[in-house]
Amino acid sequence: MGPLNGIRVVEFTGIGPGPMAAMLLADLGASVIRIDRPAAAEAAGRGQVPHMSAGRPVIGADLKSEAGLRTARELVAAADVLLEGFRPGVMERLGLGPDECLQANPGLVYARMTGWGQDGPLAHRAGHDMNYIALNGALHSFGRAGQAPLPPANLVGDFGGGTMFVVTGILSALVERQRSGRGQVVDAAMVDGSALLMSMVYEDRDRGAWSDERGTNYLDTGAPWYDVYECADGRHVSVGCIEPRFYAAFLDGLGLADADLPDQWDRDRWPELRARFAAVLRTRTRAEWAEVFGDTDACVQPILSMAEAPDHPHVRARGSVVRKGDRVFPGPAPRFSRTPGRTTRDPDFAAPSLEDTLKEWGVSSP
């Protein structure tokens, strides 16, 4: 049933990191009801479900109407968690702000996720993932030497700095509620969370082990033994052999164990090392290098596409990425020994009906 079985979450519809947070809570066993516009709820009934919103019952409510607000308030009163991702002040203007909701439900965990946070000069400004990571040093760090910063999709700001931190905040507040009996507001900002993800890099910078010059450091493609390389077939492998014993295994696999090479940490000669590695790795295909390094600790792995990933033996054994028919989707994470989670994107997942969920919550149908 999942470790969050019995926890009730009311999700106010949003995009990106908000639905993913609700998705994770549902995967962990929470009962989640999404409040959406009536037209969107009707579309969901026809199978037209937004990204990462499958497997959760949706209720249509016009929050600008008294009937819609009444429905929302009834759900909030019965919930353990409220999750919203509007700009600051929107929920207050609707009469659904923290003061009103916590007065009606003192044990409520009121989780707010935004890009800029609930306060600060940019709190009311629009933004997207790359904007949030642009101001905290993260985006500047991605890219090769001499090239412009490279946005890492929306993994760092939206989902790393946003989703994962609002879920952490929700779970922490639920644990604290067991002691105090009281709910509280969780202010999760993507600019904050993605900055915290940079903790190790900022520590390295403070002790002189990291430079603001992009693509010159040991984890940002500056080091030749932490980079990606093209193979004979135009495909690529990842090389990440930082520690001496892993580096030695890498050199052995390349046939360079006895070669006259520069020291691993001689930064001035990294270009020379890179050229030697690149030349050797271009002599075999990706599959051939995967075979060479398959049973070693050289920290070399083939770079697979999303279409290829489900068929890798380890990924398949773990169920990290699953293929069912024409569907490919990630499996549940993390794993639990007694209360396993589920994957609500699985086409075989039996989503709870809205009627059954409302009955379980003790809320009358609108």
Side-chain angles (χ1 to χ4, degrees):
M1 297 292 288
L4 294 185
N5 181 43
I7 296 297
R8 299 170 179 176
V9 180
V10 56
E11 169 198 1
F12 286 81
T13 192
I15 60 173
M20 186 175 186
M23 179 194 84
L24 291 178
L25 296 172
D27 283 2
L28 293 173
S31 175
V32 183
I33 296 179
R34 187 173 90 249
I35 296 178
D36 209 332
R37 300 180 308 278
E42 293 173 6
R46 299 190 297 270
Q48 298 172 2
V49 181
H51 293 107
M52 298 174 292
S53 294
R56 305 193 292 278
V58 56
I59 190 167
D62 179 2
L63 297 181
K64 295 181 180 179
S65 71
E66 187 52 44
L69 286 174
R70 183 167 56 251
T71 296
R73 290 183 180 121
E74 289 178 358
L75 289 171
V76 169
D80 297 288
V81 178
L82 180 156
L83 174 63
E84 66 97 359
F86 300 124
R87 291 198 204 189
V90 171
M91 290 289 278
E92 284 83 351
R93 289 194 295 274
L94 291 170
L96 294 169
D99 292 344
E100 295 90 343
C101 291
L102 285 166
Q103 183 176 4
N105 183 352
L108 181 70
V109 173
Y110 194 111
R112 321 192 77 171
M113 184 172 56
T114 58
W116 301 117
Q118 295 300 309
D119 52 41
L122 296 179
H124 293 273
R125 296 282 292 275
H128 281 295
D129 178 290
M130 73 161 65
N131 305 129
Y132 311 133
I133 67 175
L135 295 192
N136 60 22
L139 181 55
H140 178 86
S141 302
F142 295 107
R144 294 189 176 276
Q147 298 182 15
L150 182 65
N154 62 337
L155 300 179
V156 175
D158 281 355
F159 300 129
T163 294
M164 295 305 172
F165 280 90
V166 77
V167 170
T168 299
I170 288 169
L171 300 180
S172 300
L174 287 172
V175 170
E176 193 279 336
R177 190 182 68 173
Q178 293 178 337
R179 297 192 297 270
S180 68
R182 300 171 59 194
Q184 60 182 304
V185 177
V186 177
D187 175 5
M190 297 170 217
V191 66
D192 300 343
S194 54
L196 193 55
L197 292 177
M198 291 284 289
S199 293
M200 188 185 80
V201 177
Y202 269 107
E203 289 178 9
D204 276 349
R205 185 179 182 276
D206 283 346
R207 57 173 173 256
W210 192 277
S211 167
D212 275 344
E213 185 179 351
R214 195 167 36 255
T216 65
N217 301 289
Y218 71 108
L219 294 178
D220 66 353
T221 74
W225 32 261
Y226 201 89
D227 205 345
V228 300
Y229 288 91
E230 185 177 3
C231 304
D233 55 356
R235 297 180 177 182
H236 297 81
V237 292
S238 62
V239 175
C241 47
I242 303 174
E243 293 81 0
R245 65 185 185 280
F246 302 154
Y247 183 64
F250 173 60
L251 295 184
D252 186 58
L254 293 183
L256 296 176
D258 298 321
D260 183 20
L261 296 176
D263 180 79
Q264 179 185 359
W265 287 90
D266 186 347
R267 289 174 178 263
D268 291 338
R269 299 185 69 184
W270 275 356
E272 180 182 340
L273 266 183
R274 186 184 308 280
R276 295 289 297 275
F277 296 162
V280 175
L281 287 165
R282 277 195 293 266
T283 64
R284 301 189 187 187
T285 66
R286 185 187 68 177
E288 289 173 330
W289 285 121
E291 180 70 22
V292 167
F293 290 109
D295 293 325
T296 75
D297 279 339
C299 303
V300 177
Q301 293 295 340
I303 298 177
L304 305 180
S305 69
M306 288 188 287
E308 296 172 305
D311 300 320
H312 187 277
H314 185 83
V315 174
R316 185 170 60 244
R318 292 280 299 175
S320 304
V321 183
V322 180
R323 187 195 309 277
K324 283 194 175 181
D326 60 354
R327 292 283 307 280
V328 174
F329 53 90
R335 310 297 173 86
F336 297 87
S337 62
R338 291 189 300 101
T339 56
R342 66 259 178 114
T343 303
T344 53
R345 279 81 56 216
D346 190 326
D348 296 332
F349 174 71
S353 70
L354 176 61
E355 292 74 16
D356 288 345
T357 305
L358 290 174
K359 183 177 180 180
E360 175 194 335
W361 284 37
V363 175
S364 58
S365 299

